[in-house]
Amino acid sequence: MATIAAKKSVFEMNDLEFEELVKPVALKAKQTALDNGAWFSYKNELCTEPDMFIHEFKDGHKELIKLGSGAGQHTVLKVF
């Protein structure tokens, strides 16, 4: 299916075709960021407030964080 999706415009793709197209790029970007010392941020069911995120690090540990009022400020609520 990847070859079919790659020949279509993204505006003509269904959700599955679009996901198939972008997933390898997203995974590579995530791994590159982790390899360069950055973390990967996302939301899941633990993020019960708009300013809460999960930070995932290269070594596999994760932190539930809450953003602070200043740029780059956050509080670690849980480490797992």
Side-chain angles (χ1 to χ4, degrees), residues 18-52:
F18 184 74
E19 180 181 338
E20 186 178 287
L21 178 69
V22 300
K23 189 173 185 177
V25 176
L27 291 174
K28 183 176 180 182
K30 175 185 174 183
Q31 191 58 52
T32 299
L34 293 172
D35 289 345
N36 288 323
W39 58 79
F40 184 70
S41 298
Y42 56 91
K43 289 183 167 280
N44 68 12
E45 68 280 352
L46 298 174
C47 305
T48 57
E49 298 176 24
D51 57 353
M52 294 171 75

